[in-house]
Amino acid sequence: MKKLLTGNEAIAEGAIESGVEVVSGYPGTPSTEVILTLLPRKKELGIHVEWSVNEKVAFEIAAGAAWAGKRALVTMKMSGVNVAADSLCSIAYSGCRGGFVIFTADDPGASAGMPEEDSRYYAKLMIVPMLDPGSQQECLDYVKVAFDISEKIGGPVFLRSTTDTSHLASDVVLGEKLDIKREAHFERDIIKYTKAGAVRCMAQHQDTLDRLEKASEIADNYITESGIKVNEIHIEKDNRCGVIYAGAVQGNFKEILKRYNLKLSWLKIGLVHPLPEERIKKFLETVDRMLILEESEPLIETEVMRFAFLMNKKIKILGKFDKTLSLIGNYSFKDIKKGLEALLNKKLGRKGNLKIIERAEKLEVKRPISFCVGCPHRGTYYAINNAIKNLKYKKNEIIITGDIGCTILGMNKPFESCWTEVAMGASIGLAQGFKWAGIKKPVIATIGDSTFFHAGIPPLINAVYQKVPLTIIILDNGWTAMTGFEENPGTIPLKETNNTRVDIEKVCRGCGIEELNVIDPYQVEESVEKIMRSIKYPGVSVVISRQECALQAKRRKVKLPKFRVDVDKCTGCRICLNQLACPAMVFHPKTDNQHLSLLRSVLPDLDLLCSLSCLLQE
């Protein structure tokens, strides 16, 4: 049976077919949809699926299940591997009993707005095998391969995807679901599961190296149920040019071969750590010129150069080091075509309808990055900016640290509030650093609710303990909204989950916060007043800006107040648009003199303008 699936949906299907019993993770584009696909089916499948508070916790939950003999999957984006790394490195040395797959999605091209981090180096650092699917079918198949290898070697296995592979869709052949329910059991083995003592640590290190070697042997000749070879070599005897490739470049590379009828030798690498050394050396013997196609860092290219040196093989290697291909971004059809032209020393003609292509290029739309229609965060940043103004500070005098999630959109027009964005929870730590550096004027840290639970509590405790004078504004919209409206510990309990809601206000009080104000960002005047009071407070102050995400509120059929413009009073000053820029509001001609008025908004964002005289509440 075939089904149209994105790469992430295919990974979810592969996990189901593999008989997974525990799945945990933290939302992060481009990995989020794996758990989103599994959550609605968890009761039907009889498995545990959860959004954990952060990636480290998610990893530890999955590891515990794998130690107890279950098949477990943990999901995260590349930045999440940084968070999980502390436990990951240690658990990798101890191994596991049940199959344990770590899914990470990298983002070449930074479409999700984070660093172009290459998770393959984590696989090398932690001595963990890593599979790198290059198609949606391979996403499904490689999950099964990963679980199989994991249980055969007794250790975790990375499955790495990228944005293009995760989010594009194609027909995928489905398989049968394994029924491998197991009783949970964990044996007491302190030599294996603890790190007390150098002898134990070094023994575990050797075990990890042995597992890696075994994984390489298994994967090198592995053929999946749908006939896909994990590592595959193709030799053209009459052509001394060749390509080594891995991951998401596969689709465009194969399309170019087909479109231009190119007869090239190629080596596909599906297990990117450890690399198939003997296959690579065999391939090197058949070519004199070679192109390496891999997104992000030149990991494979470096190793191929090392192998060629050890073989005393003189070969022209094209890739990132000679600047044939870029070190940044993802590789488009055009990029790979350019690389192949350099390899072959000839131009490949432009095929297809040129007029259609040129027209499509002209129609490309540049989208501004902004808050959604009706987003309460508009009101929060509007109030912050007005509070700063009312306190007689200039905008460029007050440092506002931003954090991961919707909150960071406050850096863009028209607010231009946030100065920094680093990592989950870093806004609060950075703000403390600015104060200890000697910044005399107020410093404000902004952070979202999900990010606060993820990594904001420890730096908050530190600020209280060290008595750092700063203001922390927690933008609580009740959802992990940036990545697709996932639940977090502060989400309103839903019938389908019946989870316990954790109150951010009580958490802050428990951490020792005395100056705490809760505001409704739709009530502008009161919000401005409370933010001003918090900024003037001599110690650690917290403002919780609480209003549910407007899109989620509308989906839940929550009734919020609506406002309309009194056309007779509207002067066309554009203050509302210039300072809020909500897409729900536009101007249109009012009279022949081209005076302007606002169209009625269908969402409650206009409540933010309640202080303007031209608005009437319905």
Side-chain angles (χ1 to χ4, degrees):
M1 175 184 170
K2 283 187 178 181
K3 189 175 182 180
L4 183 66
L5 297 175
T6 64
N8 282 344
E9 290 170 335
I11 288 168
E13 179 63 32
I16 292 170
E17 293 182 14
S18 298
V20 73
E21 293 190 68
V22 175
V23 182
S24 54
Y26 186 81
T29 306
S31 72
T32 310
E33 294 81 9
V34 175
I35 286 185
L36 286 182
T37 303
L38 292 170
L39 270 172
R41 301 186 61 187
K42 66 178 185 178
K43 287 185 179 179
E44 162 206 339
L45 296 167
I47 63 176
H48 177 77
V49 185
E50 72 166 59
W51 287 123
S52 305
V53 71
N54 65 31
E55 294 87 355
K56 183 174 183 289
V57 173
F59 175 81
E60 290 157 357
I61 289 167
W67 276 5
K70 301 286 188 177
R71 283 194 164 186
L73 169 71
V74 62
T75 76
M76 62 195 72
K77 68 189 293 183
M78 67 289 172
S79 302
V81 184
N82 305 332
V83 180
D86 191 16
S87 293
L88 203 164
C89 193
S90 185
I91 288 173
Y93 275 42
S94 290
C96 56
R97 292 179 60 246
F100 186 13
V101 177
I102 307 157
F103 170 60
T104 177
D106 287 1
D107 189 27
S111 61
M114 291 298 290
E116 289 187 293
E117 182 178 311
D118 193 331
S119 296
R120 293 178 300 170
Y121 283 102
Y122 268 116
K124 292 193 70 175
L125 172 67
M126 297 171 180
I127 321 177
V128 176
M130 176 177 273
L131 291 156
D132 193 3
S135 69
Q136 287 67 43
Q137 183 67 59
E138 288 182 1
C139 283
L140 188 154
D141 288 3
Y142 281 14
V143 176
K144 296 181 178 182
V145 175
F147 275 117
D148 192 16
I149 292 175
S150 175
E151 292 188 345
K152 285 178 178 176
I153 67 173
V157 173
F158 268 116
L159 179 68
R160 177 223 188 210
S161 181
T162 60
T163 304
D164 287 350
T165 305
S166 284
H167 286 172
L168 294 178
S170 67
D171 283 339
V172 174
V173 178
L174 306 185
E176 297 295 324
K177 178 183 179 299
L178 291 178
D179 186 11
I180 52 171
K181 297 288 184 183
R182 300 163 176 165
E183 288 295 322
H185 173 71
F186 181 61
E187 60 186 17
R188 185 178 187 274
D189 187 347
I190 60 174
I191 294 175
K192 182 178 178 68
Y193 296 116
T194 70
K195 301 292 182 285
V199 173
R200 291 173 187 169
C201 291
M202 289 188 288
Q204 289 176 18
H205 189 182
Q206 185 59 56
D207 288 344
T208 309
L209 292 170
D210 293 342
R211 287 195 292 268
L212 193 70
E213 184 177 349
K214 188 175 180 181
S216 180
E217 293 170 1
I218 295 169
D220 198 36
N221 296 295
Y222 205 112
I223 301 176
T224 70
E225 294 172 6
S226 59
I228 292 174
K229 295 178 180 179
V230 173
N231 298 325
E232 185 176 4
I233 192 169
H234 171 79
I235 303 298
E236 288 286 343
K237 293 181 180 179
D238 298 328
N239 193 334
R240 299 289 294 179
C241 292
V243 175
I244 294 179
Y245 73 89
V249 301
Q250 177 172 268
N252 282 326
F253 172 62
K254 290 293 184 71
E255 175 66 22
I256 292 171
L257 291 186
K258 182 179 178 181
R259 181 175 296 191
Y260 296 99
N261 194 29
L262 300 179
K263 305 296 183 183
L264 292 171
S265 296
W266 49 262
L267 170 61
K268 169 206 160 186
I269 299 177
L271 187 77
V272 291
H273 183 66
L275 290 172
E277 182 174 345
E278 294 307 313
R279 277 188 185 268
I280 292 173
K281 287 180 176 178
K282 178 182 176 182
F283 189 72
L284 283 167
E285 290 172 353
T286 67
V287 295
D288 299 319
R289 288 173 62 84
M290 179 189 295
L291 174 68
I292 311 290
L293 292 174
E294 59 178 324
E295 291 182 335
S296 298
E297 298 297 316
L299 186 148
I300 296 174
E301 189 174 347
T302 301
E303 289 299 290
V304 169
M305 286 180 170
R306 182 171 71 87
F307 295 150
F309 174 79
L310 293 173
M311 294 169 62
N312 198 27
K313 168 73 176 181
K314 292 184 178 180
I315 182 172
K316 177 68 174 176
I317 298 177
L318 291 80
K320 299 174 190 291
F321 286 122
D322 73 333
K323 301 190 186 310
T324 296
L325 296 168
S326 174
L327 273 164
I328 62 174
N330 56 335
Y331 288 166
S332 65
F333 183 95
K334 186 187 295 185
D335 294 322
I336 296 173
K337 177 170 169 279
K338 172 190 168 186
L340 288 170
E341 287 174 339
L343 175 70
L344 299 171
N345 279 323
K346 69 175 184 179
K347 283 286 183 181
L348 301 175
R350 192 174 185 182
K351 294 195 173 185
N353 190 320
L354 295 181
K355 289 185 178 179
I356 291 176
I357 295 172
E358 289 170 1
R359 186 183 174 194
E361 289 173 349
K362 289 179 181 178
L363 290 173
E364 182 182 1
V365 177
K366 302 294 184 184
R367 296 186 301 165
I369 303 174
S370 184
F371 296 112
C372 300
V373 171
C375 179
H377 293 349
R378 290 181 189 278
T380 304
Y381 282 110
Y382 180 80
I384 292 171
N385 287 348
N386 278 280
I388 290 171
K389 183 179 178 182
N390 291 351
L391 290 171
K392 309 302 181 184
Y393 292 111
K394 293 179 181 178
K395 197 172 181 180
N396 62 1
E397 290 181 317
I398 303 300
I399 297 172
I400 302 177
T401 56
D403 223 304
I404 308 301
C406 297
T407 54
I408 194 54
L409 297 180
M411 68 183 175
N412 296 326
K413 291 181 181 296
F415 307 104
E416 298 179 298
S417 300
C418 298
W419 294 29
T420 68
E421 180 196 19
V422 176
M424 304 292 270
S427 61
I428 302 175
L430 286 171
Q432 294 172 61
F434 286 130
K435 294 305 293 184
W436 290 128
I439 299 294
K440 302 300 182 185
K441 291 183 172 64
V443 175
I444 300 170
T446 61
I447 187 169
D449 50 334
S450 181
T451 309
F452 176 75
F453 287 120
H454 181 289
I457 298 172
L460 172 65
I461 293 171
N462 193 80
V464 173
Y465 174 63
Q466 298 290 350
K467 298 181 180 178
V468 187
L470 61 89
T471 299
I472 299 164
I473 300 180
I474 303 170
L475 291 82
D476 180 11
N477 67 4
W479 298 87
T480 309
M482 176 65 89
T483 50
F485 313 107
E486 296 80 29
E487 304 149 40
N488 66 58
T491 299
I492 297 168
L494 306 173
K495 290 181 180 178
E496 53 268 32
T497 60
N498 195 31
N499 291 336
T500 299
R501 186 181 192 182
V502 178
D503 190 330
I504 291 177
E505 183 177 353
K506 291 180 180 179
V507 171
C508 292
R509 295 285 189 197
C511 291
I513 296 296
E514 296 177 357
E515 178 61 26
L516 190 150
N517 291 284
V518 179
I519 64 173
D520 179 349
Y522 288 160
Q523 303 300 320
V524 178
E525 292 180 1
E526 182 183 352
S527 297
V528 172
E529 181 184 335
K530 288 184 176 180
I531 292 173
M532 288 172 61
R533 186 165 73 227
S534 297
I535 292 173
K536 289 188 288 185
Y537 184 74
V540 184
S541 63
V542 170
V543 176
I544 300 173
S545 181
R546 180 172 290 156
Q547 184 61 257
E548 186 176 10
C549 166
L551 298 183
Q552 288 297 86
K554 186 168 184 175
R555 290 183 180 119
R556 295 197 312 110
K557 299 182 179 178
V558 174
K559 289 187 178 180
L560 294 171
K562 290 184 180 181
F563 285 71
R564 66 179 176 83
V565 175
D566 186 334
V567 177
D568 294 329
K569 291 186 177 181
C570 178
T571 63
C573 67
R574 295 179 182 256
I575 290 176
C576 54
L577 284 187
N578 291 338
Q579 295 187 24
L580 284 171
C582 179
M585 300 184 293
V586 293
F587 276 96
H588 74 93
K590 185 173 80 170
T591 67
D592 293 337
N593 295 325
Q594 298 298 301
H595 289 162
L596 299 173
S597 64
L598 275 168
L599 286 177
R600 176 180 169 182
S601 171
V602 297
L603 284 171
D605 201 2
L606 284 179
D607 194 6
L608 297 171
L609 300 173
C610 61
S611 61
L612 297 182
S613 60
C614 59
L615 288 181
L616 297 173
Q617 185 169 1
E618 293 185 340

